Amino acid sequence: MSANRFDRFFEISARGSTPERELRGGLVTFFTMAYIVVLNPLILAAGVDADGAKLPVAALAAGTALVAGVMTLVMGVFARFPLALAAGLGVNALVAYEIAPEMTWADAMGLVVIEGVVIAVLVLTGLRTAVFRAVPTQLKTAIGVGIGLFLMLIGLVDAGLVRRVPDVANSVVPVELGVSGRLTSWPELVFVLGVLLTLILFVRRVRGAILIGILATTGLAILVEAVVHVGPAFVDGAPNPGGWRLNVPKLPETIVSTPDLSLLGKFDVLGSWSRAGWLVALMFVFTLLITDFFDTMGSMVAVAQEGDLLDAEGMPPRTREILLVDSIAAAAGGAASVSSNTSYVESASGVAEGARTGVASLVTGALFLLAMFLAPLVVVVPFEAASTALVVVGFLMLAAVRQIDWTDYEIAVPAFLTITLMPFTYSISNGIGAGVISYVVLKVAVGRARQIHPILYGIAALFVLYFLRGPLEAALL
C-alpha cells in the first residue's frame, strides 16, 4: 500500500494527524495498558473453580497479550479508531470470584463467549447502535467527564497516592493520602515527580510529553530501586506498604520468553447451564452483558471526545464497526480463557498524545503481540510510572464539563450523578446507569416524557434490574 493510499485508508491527514503522532499515541496507550498482561493473570489465577482447579499464570499472561494484540489490530484495520482492547478489569474479577466457583473454568469462559456472541448479534441487528444514539448528547459528554475523573482516581490508587483506610473503629474517612495520611515511600515520590514532569512538559507543549513522562519516570524508578532496594508491595505474603505496586522496576535478567498458549480453546458453552442451573447461568450472562455493553459505550465516547472526533449527535466515526469489534473481543477473551476483552478507556492517553486513527491501534496491537515474547521487558514499567499518564488525561477529559448546561436541572442532575458515581463506585456502568435512570425519572416527573427516546425507557428498566440483581438473586436462587 502506497503512502497516499495508507493515509487515505486510515484518514490520517483528514483527522489532522501524522504518522509520527499515531506512533507516539500507540506507544503511550500500550505503556498505559501494559499492566494488564501482569494483572489479569494475577486476578484469574487467584480464583478456584467448583472442582478446585486453578489456571496457570504463564498461560494466562500469554493469552492475555495474544487476544489484546489481535483484537486491537482488528480495531485498527476494521474500525480505524484509536481504541485498544484487553481483558476487562472488574469483569475478570466477576469471572474469577463469582462465576468460576459455581462451575468449571471451561464453563465460566463459555458464558463469556455466549455474552460476546449476544452483544455481536445486538450490533449486527442495529440495536446496540440505536441504544447509543438514544442517549442524550449532554449525557454522553457527562460520561466522558466522569471517565476522566475515574481515570485520575485509578492512577492515584494504582500509584499508591490514594489508599483505603484500614477498617478500624475510629476511621472516619474511606480513603487517605499515602500511608496514614502521609507520603512515606520512595515509589510515591517517584510518582509525584513523574506527574510534575509530565505536566511541565505538557504545559510547555513538548511533543510526546506523556510518553516522555512514562519513560523518564520508569528510568527514575529503576534507579531508585537499584539504590534503595524498596521491593514489592508484598513480601512472602506480608504487606510492604512502601513497596512498588504490581511491578518492581529493575532491568530484567532475560528479555525473551516462550509464550504458553495452552489455554486457547478451553471453553464449554453448554456445561454451565446443567452444572449451575439455567437461572444462575442466565443471571451471570446478564451481568456480564450489561457491564460490557455500557462500559464500552463510555470508553468509546471518552476517547472520541478527547480526540474531538464526535459528530453533532455525539457519535464517533464508524460506531458500528467499533462496537462489532468490541463484541467479538468479548467472545475471543472467553475462547482464550482470559475473560472478556473490552475497549480500554486508557486509550485516551494515546489520543491525548496525538493519536486520531487506527494506526495507533496497529502500534499498540503489535506491541501486545511482542509482549508475549518480551514479557520480562513489560514488567519493567511500574504502576507508579504508567499512572502519570492517567492523571494528565483525567484533566484533559474534565475540560469537556463546560459543554453541559448546568442551568437545566433536567440534564444537569443526571450529568452530576454520572460524573460523580463513576469514580466513587469505581465503575463506568454504575455511573451510566444512575445517569440514565435519573434522566428518565426527572423527565417523567416534570411532564416531559415525550422528550425521552423510547429505547431509553428500556435501558433504564435494564439498569434497574442490574442494580437490584443482588436482592433478585437472593429471592430467586
Side-chain angles (χ1 to χ4, degrees):
M1 184 182 292
S2 67
N4 287 337
R5 288 179 62 192
F6 185 83
D7 185 288
R8 288 196 301 272
F9 181 80
F10 286 103
E11 302 178 335
I12 299 174
S13 299
R15 295 187 188 179
S17 186
T18 65
E20 293 76 16
R21 290 173 62 178
E22 298 300 314
L23 175 60
R24 289 201 310 269
L27 285 168
V28 166
T29 296
F30 173 74
F31 282 123
T32 310
M33 289 176 56
Y35 69 85
I36 195 62
V37 178
V38 178
L39 187 57
N40 190 52
L42 293 180
I43 292 173
L44 290 176
V48 180
D49 70 8
D51 293 337
K54 302 187 75 171
L55 297 177
V57 173
L60 286 169
T64 298
L66 175 64
V67 177
V70 171
M71 295 314 305
T72 301
L73 288 174
V74 174
M75 180 68 77
V77 175
F78 185 63
R80 304 171 207 169
F81 192 70
L83 191 61
L85 303 98
L89 289 174
V91 175
N92 54 7
L94 174 67
V95 171
Y97 305 128
E98 294 187 40
I99 299 180
E102 299 290 334
M103 55 196 75
T104 68
W105 280 111
D107 296 338
M109 295 303 171
L111 289 182
V112 175
V113 172
I114 292 172
E115 175 252 336
V117 171
V118 171
I119 295 182
V121 170
L122 294 178
V123 174
L124 293 173
T125 57
L127 182 59
R128 197 176 187 189
T129 306
V131 168
F132 188 76
R133 291 185 180 278
V135 178
T137 301
Q138 289 193 62
L139 198 54
K140 291 175 186 173
T141 301
I143 290 170
V145 174
I147 289 176
L149 286 176
F150 184 32
L151 276 178
M152 190 189 77
L153 180 59
I154 290 173
L156 295 177
V157 170
D158 286 350
L161 201 73
V162 172
R163 307 193 187 204
R164 260 184 218 95
V165 175
D167 292 327
V168 293
N170 60 352
S171 64
V172 294
V173 292
V175 293
E176 63 185 1
L177 178 69
V179 179
S180 300
R182 296 176 297 168
L183 301 182
T184 59
S185 71
W186 283 102
E188 292 165 352
L189 177 61
V190 168
F191 170 71
V192 171
L193 292 176
V195 170
L196 289 175
L197 172 62
T198 307
L199 289 173
I200 290 170
L201 294 173
F202 178 78
V203 170
R204 292 180 64 88
R205 288 176 165 74
V206 174
R207 289 184 178 180
I210 295 176
L211 178 58
I212 293 172
I214 293 174
L215 296 177
T217 308
T218 299
L220 176 60
I222 292 173
L223 179 61
V224 168
E225 175 61 22
V227 174
V228 184
H229 304 295
V230 175
F234 287 89
V235 180
D236 296 328
N240 173 25
W244 301 99
R245 301 167 73 83
L246 189 64
N247 294 333
V248 177
K250 57 183 179 181
L251 296 177
E253 296 178 0
T254 60
I255 296 178
V256 179
S257 61
T258 303
D260 177 359
L261 301 178
S262 60
L263 287 176
L264 298 187
K266 298 293 181 66
F267 67 96
D268 184 348
V269 297
L270 299 177
S272 59
W273 301 88
S274 58
R275 181 71 180 264
W278 69 269
L279 189 56
V280 172
L282 189 64
M283 289 298 291
F284 281 141
V285 170
F286 174 73
T287 302
L288 288 168
L289 187 139
I290 291 292
T291 302
D292 266 353
F293 194 104
F294 289 98
D295 273 11
T296 297
M297 187 176 80
S299 299
M300 185 173 63
V301 169
V303 171
Q305 185 171 292
E306 174 59 31
D308 195 23
L309 296 174
L310 295 173
D311 61 20
E313 296 180 345
M315 300 287 288
R318 301 177 66 83
T319 296
R320 186 170 183 268
E321 288 82 354
I322 295 170
L323 294 175
L324 182 58
V325 173
D326 182 88
S327 305
I328 295 171
S337 298
V338 295
S339 184
S340 175
N341 272 231
T342 188
S343 300
Y344 259 56
V345 72
E346 282 93 334
S347 303
S349 61
V351 174
E353 193 58 72
R356 294 293 182 274
T357 76
V359 177
S361 295
L362 298 184
V363 175
T364 304
L367 290 172
F368 266 118
L369 293 182
L370 281 175
M372 286 195 303
F373 303 91
L374 304 177
L377 282 180
V378 173
V379 300
V380 169
V381 181
F383 263 156
E384 289 79 1
S387 297
T388 58
L390 301 183
V391 175
V392 178
V393 173
F395 158 73
L396 294 174
M397 296 175 68
L398 184 64
V401 74
R402 65 183 182 277
Q403 299 174 18
I404 299 171
D405 183 2
W406 295 103
T407 63
D408 181 0
Y409 293 168
E410 294 168 30
I411 190 65
V413 170
F416 166 74
L417 292 174
T418 299
I419 291 170
T420 54
L421 285 180
M422 280 189 194
F424 290 149
T425 65
Y426 230 67
S427 167
I428 294 174
S429 293
N430 288 348
I432 295 176
V436 168
I437 292 173
S438 60
Y439 178 81
V440 170
V441 169
L442 291 177
K443 284 292 186 182
V444 171
V446 297
R448 295 193 173 93
R450 292 185 178 181
Q451 295 181 7
I452 303 172
H453 194 290
I455 292 179
L456 218 55
Y457 285 108
I459 299 171
L462 287 175
F463 267 118
V464 169
L465 291 175
Y466 173 74
F467 286 125
L468 294 178
R469 67 189 186 280
L472 289 174
E473 288 175 1
L476 297 175
L477 301 182

